Amino acid sequence: MLKRIAPVLLAACLRLTAQQADVLYDEAGVPRFTLPEALALRSGERVRDAKSWNNRRRPEILAIYETEVFGRSPAKPAKLNYEVKALENGALGGKADRKLVTVFFGETRGGPKMDLLIYLPAGAKKAVPVFLGLNFSAIHTVAIDAGVPLGQQWVRGVKESAPQGSRGSTAPRWQVEKILAAGYGLATVDYNDIEPDFVGGMKHGIRPLFLKPGQSEPAADEWGAIAAWGWAASRAMDYLEKDKDVDGKRVALFGHSRLGKTALWAGAQDTRFSIVIANESGEGGAAISRRNYGERTKDLNTRFPHWFDGNFKKYSAREDEMPFDSHLLLSLIAPRGLYVASAEEDRWSDPRGEFLGAANASPVWGLFGKKGIGTMEMPGLHQPVGDHVRYHIRAGKHDVTAYDWEQYLKFAAAEWGR
Ligand code: GTR
Protein backbone atom coordinates (compact mmCIF):
# COMPACT_ATOMS: atom_id res chain seq x y z
CA MET A 1 0.00 0.00 0.00
CA LEU A 2 2.74 2.41 1.05
CA LYS A 3 4.49 1.68 -2.21
CA ARG A 4 1.43 2.86 -4.09
CA ILE A 5 0.80 6.05 -2.14
CA ALA A 6 4.44 7.01 -1.55
CA PRO A 7 4.88 8.69 -4.96
CA VAL A 8 1.72 10.75 -4.39
CA LEU A 9 2.85 11.82 -0.91
CA LEU A 10 6.29 12.61 -2.25
CA ALA A 11 4.77 14.70 -5.05
CA ALA A 12 2.69 16.63 -2.50
CA CYS A 13 5.84 17.39 -0.45
CA LEU A 14 7.78 18.37 -3.56
CA ARG A 15 4.92 20.62 -4.56
CA LEU A 16 5.15 22.45 -1.22
CA THR A 17 8.93 22.71 -1.42
CA ALA A 18 8.81 24.03 -4.95
CA GLN A 19 6.10 26.50 -4.05
CA GLN A 20 8.13 27.90 -1.18
CA ALA A 21 11.34 28.08 -3.14
CA ASP A 22 12.39 30.58 -5.73
CA VAL A 23 9.10 30.85 -7.61
CA LEU A 24 7.66 34.01 -9.10
CA TYR A 25 4.21 35.01 -7.96
CA ASP A 26 4.34 38.60 -9.07
CA GLU A 27 1.82 39.54 -11.71
CA ALA A 28 3.76 42.72 -12.42
CA GLY A 29 6.82 40.59 -13.23
CA VAL A 30 5.06 38.54 -15.91
CA PRO A 31 6.73 39.58 -19.17
CA ARG A 32 4.77 40.48 -22.27
CA PHE A 33 4.39 37.52 -24.53
CA THR A 34 2.92 36.71 -27.90
CA LEU A 35 0.95 33.52 -28.30
CA PRO A 36 1.00 31.42 -31.46
CA GLU A 37 -2.26 32.17 -33.20
CA ALA A 38 -5.00 29.60 -32.90
CA LEU A 39 -6.68 30.73 -36.12
CA ALA A 40 -3.64 30.76 -38.39
CA LEU A 41 -1.76 27.88 -39.93
CA ARG A 42 1.97 27.75 -39.24
CA SER A 43 2.41 29.07 -42.75
CA GLY A 44 0.54 32.19 -41.65
CA GLU A 45 -2.57 31.44 -43.69
CA ARG A 46 -5.76 32.37 -41.80
CA VAL A 47 -8.26 29.77 -40.69
CA ARG A 48 -11.71 31.17 -41.38
CA ASP A 49 -14.13 28.29 -41.06
CA ALA A 50 -14.82 25.04 -39.28
CA LYS A 51 -13.85 23.02 -42.34
CA SER A 52 -10.33 24.38 -42.57
CA TRP A 53 -10.03 24.12 -38.80
CA ASN A 54 -10.95 20.43 -38.88
CA ASN A 55 -9.00 19.54 -41.99
CA ARG A 56 -5.91 21.68 -41.61
CA ARG A 57 -5.28 23.56 -38.38
CA ARG A 58 -6.50 20.94 -35.91
CA PRO A 59 -4.28 18.17 -37.40
CA GLU A 60 -1.36 20.60 -37.39
CA ILE A 61 -1.78 21.36 -33.67
CA LEU A 62 -2.38 17.70 -32.83
CA ALA A 63 0.85 16.75 -34.57
CA ILE A 64 2.78 19.44 -32.67
CA TYR A 65 1.45 18.20 -29.34
CA GLU A 66 2.11 14.61 -30.33
CA THR A 67 5.73 15.11 -31.25
CA GLU A 68 6.79 18.00 -29.01
CA VAL A 69 4.83 17.54 -25.79
CA PHE A 70 3.07 14.34 -24.82
CA GLY A 71 4.43 11.89 -27.38
CA ARG A 72 2.69 9.62 -29.86
CA SER A 73 0.49 6.88 -28.43
CA PRO A 74 -0.26 3.50 -30.01
CA ALA A 75 -3.36 3.08 -32.14
CA LYS A 76 -6.60 1.79 -30.69
CA PRO A 77 -6.29 -1.99 -30.20
CA ALA A 78 -8.12 -4.07 -32.80
CA LYS A 79 -10.12 -5.86 -30.18
CA LEU A 80 -11.35 -4.81 -26.76
CA ASN A 81 -10.54 -7.45 -24.19
CA TYR A 82 -12.59 -7.04 -21.00
CA GLU A 83 -14.43 -8.92 -18.32
CA VAL A 84 -17.34 -7.72 -16.18
CA LYS A 85 -16.22 -8.95 -12.79
CA ALA A 86 -19.09 -8.02 -10.53
CA LEU A 87 -22.43 -6.36 -10.45
CA GLU A 88 -24.17 -5.09 -7.37
CA ASN A 89 -27.59 -3.49 -7.13
CA GLY A 90 -28.59 -1.03 -4.44
CA ALA A 91 -25.15 0.05 -3.23
CA LEU A 92 -24.67 3.36 -1.42
CA GLY A 93 -27.77 2.87 0.67
CA GLY A 94 -29.84 1.92 -2.35
CA LYS A 95 -28.77 4.84 -4.56
CA ALA A 96 -26.36 3.10 -6.89
CA ASP A 97 -25.88 0.08 -9.06
CA ARG A 98 -22.21 -0.73 -9.33
CA LYS A 99 -20.05 -2.85 -11.50
CA LEU A 100 -16.41 -3.66 -11.66
CA VAL A 101 -15.00 -4.26 -15.12
CA THR A 102 -11.46 -5.35 -15.92
CA VAL A 103 -10.04 -4.07 -19.20
CA PHE A 104 -6.95 -5.95 -20.41
CA PHE A 105 -4.38 -3.95 -22.36
CA GLY A 106 -2.85 -6.83 -24.25
CA GLU A 107 -4.36 -9.65 -26.22
CA THR A 108 -4.01 -12.10 -23.36
CA ARG A 109 -5.49 -11.90 -19.90
CA GLY A 110 -2.15 -12.51 -18.20
CA GLY A 111 -0.75 -9.03 -18.91
CA PRO A 112 -1.43 -5.53 -17.59
CA LYS A 113 -5.03 -4.59 -16.94
CA MET A 114 -7.11 -1.91 -15.30
CA ASP A 115 -10.16 -2.12 -13.09
CA LEU A 116 -12.97 0.24 -13.97
CA LEU A 117 -15.34 0.89 -11.09
CA ILE A 118 -18.71 2.16 -12.31
CA TYR A 119 -21.54 3.73 -10.34
CA LEU A 120 -24.89 4.20 -12.03
CA PRO A 121 -28.14 5.58 -10.59
CA ALA A 122 -29.96 2.58 -9.08
CA GLY A 123 -32.49 1.01 -11.37
CA ALA A 124 -32.00 3.54 -14.21
CA LYS A 125 -34.47 2.83 -16.99
CA LYS A 126 -32.29 4.03 -19.81
CA ALA A 127 -28.63 4.50 -20.64
CA VAL A 128 -27.13 7.29 -18.52
CA PRO A 129 -24.41 9.87 -19.23
CA VAL A 130 -21.24 9.18 -17.29
CA PHE A 131 -18.30 11.09 -15.83
CA LEU A 132 -15.08 9.18 -16.36
CA GLY A 133 -12.06 10.05 -14.24
CA LEU A 134 -8.74 8.52 -13.44
CA ASN A 135 -7.97 8.63 -9.73
CA PHE A 136 -4.80 8.70 -7.72
CA SER A 137 -5.09 5.34 -6.00
CA ALA A 138 -7.25 2.37 -5.25
CA ILE A 139 -7.79 3.78 -1.78
CA HIS A 140 -9.55 6.58 -3.58
CA THR A 141 -12.03 4.37 -5.34
CA VAL A 142 -12.65 2.54 -2.13
CA ALA A 143 -13.06 5.82 -0.29
CA ILE A 144 -15.94 6.71 -2.56
CA ASP A 145 -17.95 4.14 -0.72
CA ALA A 146 -15.98 2.38 1.92
CA GLY A 147 -18.93 0.74 3.59
CA VAL A 148 -20.24 -1.57 0.94
CA PRO A 149 -18.32 -4.75 0.22
CA LEU A 150 -18.36 -5.02 -3.53
CA GLY A 151 -16.37 -8.26 -3.71
CA GLN A 152 -13.69 -6.98 -1.36
CA GLN A 153 -11.20 -9.53 -2.57
CA TRP A 154 -10.81 -7.81 -5.90
CA VAL A 155 -11.04 -4.15 -5.02
CA ARG A 156 -7.46 -3.79 -3.87
CA GLY A 157 -6.79 -1.89 -0.69
CA VAL A 158 -10.23 -2.30 0.84
CA LYS A 159 -9.13 -4.17 3.88
CA GLU A 160 -6.01 -2.14 4.61
CA SER A 161 -7.43 1.27 4.08
CA ALA A 162 -11.10 1.49 4.71
CA PRO A 163 -12.74 0.49 7.95
CA GLN A 164 -16.27 -0.72 7.33
CA GLY A 165 -18.74 2.12 7.13
CA SER A 166 -16.17 4.90 7.01
CA ARG A 167 -15.64 7.41 4.22
CA GLY A 168 -12.06 8.06 3.24
CA SER A 169 -10.58 11.52 3.34
CA THR A 170 -10.43 11.70 -0.43
CA ALA A 171 -14.15 10.97 -0.84
CA PRO A 172 -15.06 14.67 -1.29
CA ARG A 173 -13.09 14.63 -4.52
CA TRP A 174 -15.68 12.27 -5.99
CA GLN A 175 -19.13 13.65 -5.30
CA VAL A 176 -20.77 10.42 -6.23
CA GLU A 177 -24.09 11.10 -4.48
CA LYS A 178 -24.45 14.45 -6.27
CA ILE A 179 -23.55 12.84 -9.59
CA LEU A 180 -26.11 10.08 -9.10
CA ALA A 181 -28.78 12.50 -7.92
CA ALA A 182 -28.31 14.44 -11.17
CA GLY A 183 -29.05 11.21 -13.05
CA TYR A 184 -25.49 10.54 -14.16
CA GLY A 185 -22.97 7.79 -13.50
CA LEU A 186 -19.32 7.81 -12.46
CA ALA A 187 -16.62 5.52 -13.79
CA THR A 188 -13.16 5.59 -12.30
CA VAL A 189 -9.80 3.88 -12.67
CA ASP A 190 -6.67 3.93 -10.52
CA TYR A 191 -3.95 5.50 -12.65
CA ASN A 192 -1.39 3.20 -11.04
CA ASP A 193 -3.03 0.33 -12.94
CA ILE A 194 -1.74 1.97 -16.11
CA GLU A 195 1.64 3.19 -14.96
CA PRO A 196 2.82 3.99 -11.44
CA ASP A 197 3.75 7.65 -11.17
CA PHE A 198 7.49 7.88 -10.57
CA VAL A 199 10.66 8.05 -12.60
CA GLY A 200 11.28 4.41 -13.51
CA GLY A 201 7.60 3.53 -13.03
CA MET A 202 7.38 2.85 -16.75
CA LYS A 203 8.64 -0.70 -16.43
CA HIS A 204 5.71 -1.52 -14.13
CA GLY A 205 3.14 -0.14 -16.56
CA ILE A 206 1.80 -0.57 -20.07
CA ARG A 207 4.40 1.31 -22.11
CA PRO A 208 6.84 -1.63 -22.37
CA LEU A 209 4.08 -3.66 -24.08
CA PHE A 210 4.45 -1.40 -27.09
CA LEU A 211 8.23 -1.11 -27.37
CA LYS A 212 9.59 -2.26 -30.71
CA PRO A 213 12.10 -5.10 -30.72
CA GLY A 214 15.46 -3.76 -29.54
CA GLN A 215 13.93 -0.62 -28.03
CA SER A 216 14.38 -0.18 -24.28
CA GLU A 217 12.49 3.07 -23.93
CA PRO A 218 10.15 5.20 -26.02
CA ALA A 219 11.74 7.47 -28.63
CA ALA A 220 11.82 11.26 -28.08
CA ASP A 221 8.47 11.68 -29.86
CA GLU A 222 6.78 8.67 -28.29
CA TRP A 223 4.46 8.67 -25.30
CA GLY A 224 5.30 9.68 -21.77
CA ALA A 225 3.28 8.70 -18.71
CA ILE A 226 0.57 11.34 -19.24
CA ALA A 227 -0.08 10.05 -22.74
CA ALA A 228 -0.16 6.49 -21.37
CA TRP A 229 -2.73 7.43 -18.73
CA GLY A 230 -4.72 9.26 -21.39
CA TRP A 231 -4.55 6.34 -23.79
CA ALA A 232 -6.02 4.14 -21.08
CA ALA A 233 -8.85 6.64 -20.58
CA SER A 234 -9.69 6.00 -24.23
CA ARG A 235 -9.63 2.26 -23.57
CA ALA A 236 -12.10 2.86 -20.73
CA MET A 237 -14.19 4.76 -23.30
CA ASP A 238 -14.00 1.73 -25.63
CA TYR A 239 -15.67 -0.24 -22.87
CA LEU A 240 -18.20 2.46 -21.94
CA GLU A 241 -19.34 2.62 -25.57
CA LYS A 242 -20.20 -1.06 -25.35
CA ASP A 243 -21.99 -0.91 -22.03
CA LYS A 244 -25.72 -0.67 -22.73
CA ASP A 245 -26.33 1.01 -19.37
CA VAL A 246 -24.12 3.93 -20.44
CA ASP A 247 -24.94 6.68 -22.93
CA GLY A 248 -21.70 6.56 -24.90
CA LYS A 249 -22.49 9.85 -26.65
CA ARG A 250 -22.50 11.62 -23.29
CA VAL A 251 -19.28 10.77 -21.52
CA ALA A 252 -17.40 13.59 -19.75
CA LEU A 253 -13.72 13.08 -19.07
CA PHE A 254 -12.66 14.64 -15.79
CA GLY A 255 -9.20 15.02 -14.27
CA HIS A 256 -7.52 16.88 -11.45
CA SER A 257 -4.02 18.32 -11.52
CA ARG A 258 -1.63 15.99 -13.40
CA LEU A 259 -4.72 13.99 -14.28
CA GLY A 260 -6.26 17.25 -15.52
CA LYS A 261 -3.35 17.53 -17.96
CA THR A 262 -4.08 13.89 -18.82
CA ALA A 263 -7.79 14.57 -19.40
CA LEU A 264 -6.94 17.46 -21.73
CA TRP A 265 -4.58 15.39 -23.85
CA ALA A 266 -6.90 12.37 -23.96
CA GLY A 267 -9.87 14.60 -24.73
CA ALA A 268 -7.91 16.48 -27.39
CA GLN A 269 -7.24 13.28 -29.29
CA ASP A 270 -10.38 11.28 -28.63
CA THR A 271 -13.43 13.16 -29.84
CA ARG A 272 -15.78 10.57 -28.34
CA PHE A 273 -15.51 12.50 -25.04
CA SER A 274 -18.32 15.01 -25.33
CA ILE A 275 -17.06 17.12 -22.41
CA VAL A 276 -13.56 17.57 -20.99
CA ILE A 277 -13.01 18.96 -17.49
CA ALA A 278 -9.58 20.07 -16.31
CA ASN A 279 -9.58 20.84 -12.60
CA GLU A 280 -6.47 22.83 -11.64
CA SER A 281 -4.41 21.28 -14.40
CA GLY A 282 -1.74 24.01 -14.26
CA GLU A 283 1.50 24.00 -16.19
CA GLY A 284 1.49 21.53 -19.06
CA GLY A 285 -2.33 21.64 -18.78
CA ALA A 286 -4.56 24.68 -19.17
CA ALA A 287 -2.09 27.34 -17.94
CA ILE A 288 -0.25 29.48 -20.48
CA SER A 289 3.41 28.38 -20.34
CA ARG A 290 4.75 31.71 -21.52
CA ARG A 291 3.62 33.36 -18.29
CA ASN A 292 6.43 33.46 -15.80
CA TYR A 293 4.20 32.69 -12.82
CA GLY A 294 4.13 29.62 -10.58
CA GLU A 295 5.27 26.33 -12.06
CA ARG A 296 7.38 26.47 -15.24
CA THR A 297 8.28 24.04 -17.98
CA LYS A 298 11.66 23.35 -16.42
CA ASP A 299 9.99 22.40 -13.14
CA LEU A 300 7.94 19.80 -14.97
CA ASN A 301 10.93 18.51 -16.86
CA THR A 302 13.19 18.22 -13.85
CA ARG A 303 10.68 16.97 -11.28
CA PHE A 304 8.54 14.78 -13.50
CA PRO A 305 10.66 13.82 -16.52
CA HIS A 306 8.49 10.73 -17.06
CA TRP A 307 5.28 12.71 -17.69
CA PHE A 308 6.08 14.29 -21.06
CA ASP A 309 8.01 13.05 -24.07
CA GLY A 310 11.74 13.48 -24.74
CA ASN A 311 11.26 16.40 -27.13
CA PHE A 312 9.48 18.45 -24.48
CA LYS A 313 12.73 18.67 -22.50
CA LYS A 314 14.13 21.17 -24.98
CA TYR A 315 11.57 23.79 -23.94
CA SER A 316 12.83 24.17 -20.35
CA ALA A 317 13.33 27.93 -19.90
CA ARG A 318 12.62 28.33 -23.62
CA GLU A 319 8.88 28.78 -23.58
CA ASP A 320 9.10 31.54 -26.16
CA GLU A 321 10.34 29.00 -28.69
CA MET A 322 7.32 26.75 -28.26
CA PRO A 323 5.29 26.47 -31.47
CA PHE A 324 2.35 25.85 -29.11
CA ASP A 325 0.88 27.02 -25.84
CA SER A 326 -1.97 25.81 -23.67
CA HIS A 327 -4.70 27.64 -25.63
CA LEU A 328 -3.86 25.40 -28.59
CA LEU A 329 -4.17 22.25 -26.49
CA LEU A 330 -7.55 23.48 -25.25
CA SER A 331 -8.66 24.43 -28.75
CA LEU A 332 -8.43 20.77 -29.76
CA ILE A 333 -11.51 20.10 -27.63
CA ALA A 334 -13.67 22.39 -29.85
CA PRO A 335 -16.57 22.32 -30.52
CA ARG A 336 -17.21 20.00 -27.58
CA GLY A 337 -17.74 21.16 -23.99
CA LEU A 338 -14.65 22.31 -22.11
CA TYR A 339 -14.45 23.29 -18.44
CA VAL A 340 -11.30 24.77 -16.92
CA ALA A 341 -11.22 25.43 -13.18
CA SER A 342 -8.79 27.04 -10.74
CA ALA A 343 -8.44 27.61 -7.01
CA GLU A 344 -7.39 30.95 -5.54
CA GLU A 345 -4.65 29.57 -3.30
CA ASP A 346 -3.33 27.25 -5.99
CA ARG A 347 -0.91 29.84 -7.31
CA TRP A 348 1.52 27.12 -8.37
CA SER A 349 -0.99 26.21 -11.10
CA ASP A 350 -1.32 29.88 -12.16
CA PRO A 351 -5.09 30.51 -12.09
CA ARG A 352 -4.84 33.55 -14.39
CA GLY A 353 -2.78 31.49 -16.83
CA GLU A 354 -5.49 28.81 -16.80
CA PHE A 355 -8.17 31.43 -17.48
CA LEU A 356 -6.13 32.94 -20.32
CA GLY A 357 -5.64 29.49 -21.85
CA ALA A 358 -9.42 29.03 -21.99
CA ALA A 359 -10.09 32.60 -23.14
CA ASN A 360 -7.54 32.42 -25.97
CA ALA A 361 -8.87 29.06 -27.13
CA SER A 362 -12.44 30.33 -27.29
CA PRO A 363 -12.39 31.89 -30.81
CA VAL A 364 -12.14 28.34 -32.17
CA TRP A 365 -15.62 27.60 -30.79
CA GLY A 366 -16.74 30.68 -32.72
CA LEU A 367 -15.89 28.89 -35.97
CA PHE A 368 -18.62 26.41 -35.06
CA GLY A 369 -21.12 29.12 -34.19
CA LYS A 370 -20.65 28.45 -30.49
CA LYS A 371 -19.75 30.81 -27.69
CA GLY A 372 -16.69 30.03 -25.58
CA ILE A 373 -15.62 32.01 -22.50
CA GLY A 374 -16.97 35.24 -24.01
CA THR A 375 -14.69 37.63 -22.11
CA MET A 376 -11.01 38.39 -21.65
CA GLU A 377 -11.71 39.66 -18.11
CA MET A 378 -10.93 37.08 -15.48
CA PRO A 379 -13.99 36.61 -13.24
CA GLY A 380 -13.99 36.95 -9.45
CA LEU A 381 -14.32 34.04 -7.07
CA HIS A 382 -17.31 31.76 -7.51
CA GLN A 383 -18.53 33.43 -10.71
CA PRO A 384 -18.34 30.84 -13.47
CA VAL A 385 -18.14 32.42 -16.93
CA GLY A 386 -18.62 31.08 -20.42
CA ASP A 387 -20.93 28.98 -22.49
CA HIS A 388 -19.42 25.91 -24.22
CA VAL A 389 -16.06 26.80 -22.68
CA ARG A 390 -16.55 27.56 -19.03
CA TYR A 391 -14.19 28.70 -16.30
CA HIS A 392 -14.36 29.29 -12.57
CA ILE A 393 -12.01 30.16 -9.77
CA ARG A 394 -13.06 29.24 -6.25
CA ALA A 395 -11.65 30.07 -2.84
CA GLY A 396 -9.31 27.55 -1.28
CA LYS A 397 -6.47 25.23 -2.07
CA HIS A 398 -5.42 22.80 -4.79
CA ASP A 399 -8.15 20.16 -4.50
CA VAL A 400 -11.48 19.03 -5.90
CA THR A 401 -14.44 20.19 -3.84
CA ALA A 402 -18.22 19.91 -3.78
CA TYR A 403 -18.37 23.42 -5.29
CA ASP A 404 -16.32 22.27 -8.27
CA TRP A 405 -18.57 19.28 -8.87
CA GLU A 406 -21.72 21.39 -8.57
CA GLN A 407 -20.43 23.55 -11.43
CA TYR A 408 -19.46 20.53 -13.54
CA LEU A 409 -22.93 19.06 -13.08
CA LYS A 410 -24.60 22.31 -14.17
CA PHE A 411 -22.30 22.50 -17.18
CA ALA A 412 -23.02 18.89 -18.13
CA ALA A 413 -26.77 19.49 -17.83
CA ALA A 414 -26.45 22.46 -20.21
CA GLU A 415 -24.20 20.60 -22.68
CA TRP A 416 -26.23 17.43 -22.65
CA GLY A 417 -29.59 19.17 -22.63
CA ARG A 418 -30.94 17.35 -19.60
C1 GTR B 1 2.62 19.11 -8.82
C2 GTR B 1 3.00 19.49 -10.22
C3 GTR B 1 1.82 20.06 -10.91
C4 GTR B 1 0.56 19.23 -10.70
C5 GTR B 1 0.51 18.57 -9.35
C6 GTR B 1 -0.39 17.38 -9.13
O1 GTR B 1 3.66 18.78 -8.00
O2 GTR B 1 4.02 20.42 -10.12
O3 GTR B 1 2.11 20.23 -12.26
O4 GTR B 1 0.37 18.32 -11.71
O5 GTR B 1 1.73 18.10 -8.95
O6 GTR B 1 -0.64 16.58 -10.02
O7 GTR B 1 -0.80 17.23 -7.99
Side-chain angles (χ1 to χ4, degrees), residues 138-153:
I139 316 169
H140 209 149
T141 52
V142 168
I144 292 170
D145 180 8
V148 184
L150 180 122
Q152 293 193 350
Q153 66 282 12

Side-chain angles (χ1 to χ4, degrees), residues 11 15 257-258 261 295 300 303-304 307 348 398:
R15 182 183 180 93
S257 205
R258 67 201 67 190
K261 309 182 209 302
E295 187 170 32
L300 289 173
R303 296 167 64 226
F304 306 106
W307 285 0
W348 182 240
H398 186 65

Side-chain angles (χ1 to χ4, degrees), residues 123-146:
K125 297 273 176 298
K126 55 179 188 179
V128 296
V130 162
F131 287 84
L132 169 66
L134 301 185
N135 69 67
F136 286 104
S137 83
I139 316 169
H140 209 149
T141 52
V142 168
I144 292 170
D145 180 8

Side-chain angles (χ1 to χ4, degrees), residues 19 38 49-50 93 120 124 190 204 218 232 241 381:
Q19 280 179 282
D49 52 38
L120 299 168
D190 172 6
H204 306 288
E241 277 192 319
L381 297 182

Side-chain angles (χ1 to χ4, degrees), residues 346-390:
D346 183 22
R347 296 186 306 162
W348 182 240
S349 295
D350 185 9
R352 181 173 293 277
E354 294 179 315
F355 169 74
L356 289 174
N360 282 289
S362 289
V364 178
W365 273 258
L367 294 178
F368 295 86
K370 289 189 162 188
K371 190 179 144 219
I373 290 282
T375 172
M376 292 304 280
E377 280 300 305
M378 186 165 167
L381 297 182
H382 309 124
Q383 292 166 33
V385 282
D387 200 338
H388 297 284
V389 183
R390 199 169 289 178

